[in-house]
Structure formats: C-alpha cells, structure tokens
C-alpha cells in the first residue's frame, strides 16, 4: 500500500490532482504529531478559505478506517495516524514478496523516455565536469526503467567540428602512431593541447583544410578521425563500466551530417529562416532570446542545427514520451532556443523536450580549467577516491576480506553519491574526506548500515532463528518510524522521476539508514524474545532490501561486509 496515495485519494480539491496531493503529504519529524501530515495552504486559493478552516473541515469529513486510525487538524495541517500493525504487515509483506523489484512499478509501460547524457567530446578529456551528467543521467535511466518506462540512453557524442581538423594537423606534425596507440586518449589530448598552445597561422589553415577533408569524405582524414574516436570510446567505456553506466545509442553530432539539410529546407519552407550578415538564423526576438544560428556564412552547420536534426530524428525513431537532455545549466539558452525553434516549426512534441540542468562540480583541493590542458580527469578522481576508501577500510576493519573489491564499491559509490546527494541545480564542491565519512550523509554511511544489517541476518541464519513479517502486537516507535520510511520508497522513486531529481532517492537512503540505525541501537534484535526477534529480523531484512534497491538506482553497490 502506498500510504501517501491512500491519503491523497481521500481528499478532493478542485484543480489539484491526486498525485499532487500525494507529493504534498509528508512524514512529520515528530511522530507525536502524526504519522503523515498534509499542509493545506496550497488549497486556500481554490477553496477560498483559510488553511486552518480547510484542515478542520477535511478532518471531520474523513472517517477513520482500517488503514487510517485517526485524523486531526492543527494549524492548517491535517495529521494522520495510521494503524501500525497493519502498516507492519503490509510493508514487510510487500518487500518480502517484491524483493529487488520493491519500489518499481509499471506506470510507465508503453512509454519511451530518451535520455541524452554524458555526451562526451571525442579527443577531449573526460573530466570532472562530466561527472554530474554521467551519474545523473545514469540514475534517471535506471529510475525510469524501474517505473516501467523504456529508457533509451543516448550519448550524443561531440564528434563534429573544427577541433578534429586541428587534431589531425597536430598529429601530422608531432604525432607518432605507436605512441598514440600506447598513450590512448591522453596522448590524443596532449596533441590537441599542444596545437592550442603552439599552432601558428599556417597550421590553423592546415587544420581547416583537414576538417574540410573529413567533411568531403577523404579516406585518410576519416580513418584518422575514426581512430581518434575509437581510442576515446574505448577509454570512456572503462569509466562507464566502473560507474555502471550504459547507453543504447552512441549517435553523436556527426551522425546528423546528412540529416540537417532537410531541417534547413523545412525552416526555409515555413518562412522561419532569415539572413543576417550572410548567416542563416531563426529570429527569436519576439521570445526575448537572441537569434538561433542555423548556418554560418560559409554554409557550415552549428551545434543547434545538429540538435534540431537530432530531436526530429529521435521523435521519428523512438516516438518518445519525453526526451531529456542532462546538460549543465550553462547551456540553458541553447536548449531554450532549440526547443522554441522546434515549436515554431509546428512540432507539438516540442513540449516533451526537457533540459535537465545541473550545477557545477569542483574539487575542494583544486579548481578546474580546461583550456590549456590543466584538467582534472574523472578517472583520477575515481581512482583517488577508491584508494582513500581502501585506506579507511584498512583502518576500520583490518581483517576485511576482498578489500579491493569493497574499496572499489565504496570509492566509486562515494563519487556518485557526492554528485547526486544535493539538489541537482546546486553547484557542489567535492571533498574526498567528506564523501568517505562513515558518519556523514554519505553512501559509505548507507553501505555501512547495510553491512550491519547483513551481519545481523547472517548471525540469525547461523542460529537458525525464524523471521516473520506479521506480528501480533503494534510496533514500537523506532520500528514504526523505520516502517514508514520503507513504505515511502515507491513514492520517492516516482517523485524523483517526476522532478528529474535522483537526489530524492539519495536522501531517502540516508534518512532511512538513520532510522535503521536508531532501531538497531535502541531495540535488541538477536536477544529479543522469539516472536519479537522474528519480527525484527523481518524488518532488518526489509530495510536491507529497500536500501539496496535505493542505492542500486543511483548506480551504487552494497558490500556484504565492510
Ligand atoms: N558534448 C556537449 C558538451 O560537452 C554536450 C552535448 C549535450 N547534448 C546535446 N544534445 N546537445 O557540452
């Protein structure tokens, strides 16, 4: 049973949907107030009454039933007390039945959600600036699939542009096949950086010529380009593996080379194209935006032109319900322009395009700058975090088995969680020490809590203790608080999808782990008398399952021992 939805169904306010009401229901910090609370302020306008009056009227209109034991109104809030014994049987039964699927649903069945994320640039560093898009996109990908949607992960590769001409020019001057083979992406990037630092006018001209050769299908230029591309992809795939990220399509900007002319033609036909200083633009002044540049005066296409072609292609290919672009807020204007142009072209599905913008990540111990080659590679951040995790584990638990594997799970988890814990639009400063704090609001804390639950369950199994989802008494306060949190996972996942905000799941994990620990420290589990023990073991098992599912949605694993 979904308690928030159950409550929402009892309330009928014109103009406010039941889903909206469900998302307004919260769990008050002090259970003495109630198990669930609904603030009524939002209804004041529709009902033209004060929140206090509304709460009072609703409280007397809702009759208690087998789920809701008591309803009261206080200061504009409706407070609900639920039947705790029913709650226990319901939540524990459901988690035991559904296991790894607990929190999932079929509500998205038949709908496709395209998610454009990570979208790396070929031959450029895969740096810490790509962390958020990669892990946010990856989390949304899993969350939408979990809700029954068909998620399509798209890596819109940055594989188009004059930089490839530069790269070939640099390679021709200073490159060496064996050295690049050996150095991979780093060697390729060094060439590019060297070009930016040292190229003179003659080399710039060469670069333009090589770019033209790529465009005109010249074999040598294209072979070199494909080689650089495959080196980049082989490299980023090793990082995607570590972060548990996958894509269904690597159709990048170049893929749209032959798909832009029809877009330009359609723009012209619809009378949207205008000439401006020799360039072709769509004027967006009426919408308070600078013009969207479609073709440069030399006829070359732009980033926006390729995004227009890509959106149309995706609609045709996937018939998406939504198409998400997980891209930094620096590109807000770009996406506003592209979406507006598509709308002006008459595509009603333009309303289904969503720019999922996020803030910047920087490192506590060093700013990042990309231009002249001083970048923080994401790989180095991950490796350093894993190394630190290993040191911390060594200190905490010297006899731990499979230390390397556990350190990888913990370290990678800390990097992912660090990028996902805050509201996505916030800029964040990543700190290795904070990310690996066992007592902080961290993945390590949640993982450690899971290991604690696993250890209780292992001891119980060894002693052949029974486990029982139903209990013939009402749960105590610690148990009830944990049960409510566990019951809340499905609604949390749903809201995370609705708001494109995986941080809601991350926070749920931390809050639930805290409640588990409170239960663990305040209530005896293994030493309790048999019927209480059986119930507490079921609760422990349910908490482990739900936390594992929550972290799993973020791409974070759970070690059995830590
Ligand atoms: N490669 C681009 C960058 O690094 C991001 C591409 C995002 N996706 C898109 N369809 N424009 O800035």
């Amino acid at each position: 049973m979904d308690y928030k939805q159950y409550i929402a169904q009892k309330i009928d306010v014109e103009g406010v949907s039941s889903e909206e009401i469900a998302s307004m229901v919260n769990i008050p910090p002090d259970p003495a107030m109630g198990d669930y609370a609904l603030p009524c302020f939002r209804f004041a306008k529709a009902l033209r009454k004060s929140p206090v009056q509304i709460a009072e009227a609703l409280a007397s209109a809702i009759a208690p039933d087998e789920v809701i034991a008591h309803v009261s109104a206080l200061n504009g809030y409706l407070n609900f007390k639920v039947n705790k014994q029913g709650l226990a049987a319901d939540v524990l039964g459901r988690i035991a039945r559904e296991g790894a699927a607990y929190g999932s649903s079929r509500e998205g069945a038949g709908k496709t959600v395209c998610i454009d994320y990570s979208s790396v640039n070929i031959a450029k560093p895969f740096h810490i600036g790509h962390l958020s898009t990669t892990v946010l996109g990856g989390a949304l990908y899993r969350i939408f699939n979990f809700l029954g949607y068909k998620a399509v992960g798209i890596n819109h590769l940055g594989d188009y542009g004059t930089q490839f001409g530069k790269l070939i020019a640099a390679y021709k001057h200073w490159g060496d096949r064996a050295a690049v083979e050996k150095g991979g992406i780093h060697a390729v990037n060094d060439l590019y950086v060297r070009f930016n630092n040292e190229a003179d006018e003659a080399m710039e001209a060469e670069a333009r010529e090589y770019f033209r050769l790529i465009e005109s299908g010249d074999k040598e230029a294209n072979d070199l380009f494909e080689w650089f591309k495959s080196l980049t992809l082989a490299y980023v795939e090793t990082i995607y593996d570590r972060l548990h990220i996958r894509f269904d399509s690597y159709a990048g900007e170049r893929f749209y080379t032959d798909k832009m002319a029809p877009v330009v033609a359609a723009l012209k036909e619809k009378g949207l194209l205008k000439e401006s200083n020799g360039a072709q633009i769509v004027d967006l002044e009426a919408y308070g935006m600078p013009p969207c540049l479609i073709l440069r005066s030399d006829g070359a296409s732009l980033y926006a032109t390729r995004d227009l072609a890509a959106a149309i292609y995706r609609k045709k290919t996937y018939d998406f319900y939504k198409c998400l672009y997980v891209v930094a807020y620096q590109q807000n204007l770009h996406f506003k322009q592209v979406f507006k142009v598509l709308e002006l072209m008459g595509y009603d599905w333009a309303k289904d395009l969503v720019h999922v913008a996020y803030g910047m990540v920087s490192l506590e111990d060093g700013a990042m700058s990309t231009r002249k080659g001083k970048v923080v590679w994401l790989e180095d951040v991950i490796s350093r975090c894993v190394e630190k995790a290993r040191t911390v584990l060594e200190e905490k638990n010297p006899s731990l088995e499979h230390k390397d594997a556990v350190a990888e799970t913990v370290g990678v988890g800390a990097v992912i969680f660090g990028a996902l814990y805050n509201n996505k639009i916030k800029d964040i400063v990543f700190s290795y020490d904070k990310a690996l704090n066992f007592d902080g609001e961290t993945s390590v804390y949640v993982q450690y809590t899971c290991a604690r639950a696993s250890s209780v369950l292992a001891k119980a199994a060894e002693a052949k203790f029974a486990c029982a989802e139903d209990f013939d008494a009402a749960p105590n306060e610690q148990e009830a608080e944990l049960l409510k949190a566990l019951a809340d996972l499905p609604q949390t996942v749903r809201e995370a999808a609705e708001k494109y905000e995986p941080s809601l799941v991350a926070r749920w994990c931390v809050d639930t782990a805290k409640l588990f620990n409170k239960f663990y420290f305040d209530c005896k589990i293994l030493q309790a008398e048999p019927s209480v023990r059986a119930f507490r073991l079921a609760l422990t098992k349910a908490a482990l399952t739900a936390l594992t599912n929550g972290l799993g949605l973020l791409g974070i694993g759970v070690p059995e021992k830590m």
Side-chain angles (χ1 to χ4, degrees), residues 116 118-121 130 156-158 253 303 307 310 314 325-327 331 334-335:
D116 176 326
S118 197
S119 300
V120 285
N121 298 320
H130 297 109
H156 187 75
L157 300 174
E253 294 189 45
Y303 183 49
D307 260 327
R314 288 173 192 173
Y325 298 81
V326 186
V327 184
Q331 295 192 29
H334 166 74
F335 286 107

Side-chain angles (χ1 to χ4, degrees), residues 16-17 58 133 226 239 325 331 358 395 426 428 455 499 519:
V16 192
S17 71
L58 287 172
T133 172
E226 289 299 334
I239 297 179
Y325 298 81
Q331 295 192 29
Y358 59 83
E395 265 165 36
K426 277 200 187 153
I428 46 185
S455 140
K499 298 181 177 147
F519 156 71

Side-chain angles (χ1 to χ4, degrees), residues 136 420-424 496 500-508 554:
L136 257 173
L420 289 184
Y421 188 61
N422 287 300
N423 190 302
K424 64 183 182 292
Y500 313 113
E501 193 61 88
S503 66
L504 295 173
V505 176
R507 284 181 186 268
W508 177 89
L554 307 178

Side-chain angles (χ1 to χ4, degrees), residues 9-78:
Q9 273 154 23
K10 304 238 158 207
I11 291 158
D12 190 18
V13 178
E14 216 186 285
V16 192
S17 71
S18 169
E19 291 92 70
E20 224 176 310
I21 298 178
S23 72
M24 288 160 62
V25 176
N26 58 51
I27 301 178
D30 177 6
M33 304 288 294
D35 296 312
Y36 294 93
L38 174 67
C40 297
F41 306 91
R42 207 30 208 79
F43 307 141
K45 210 165 152 202
L47 299 176
R48 296 189 202 191
K49 275 196 231 148
S50 77
V52 173
Q53 288 169 316
I54 295 170
E56 272 160 13
L58 287 172
S60 53
I62 299 170
D65 59 17
E66 69 280 6
V67 175
I68 297 171
H70 184 74
V71 191
S72 60
L74 186 71
N75 301 333
Y77 283 83
L78 259 183

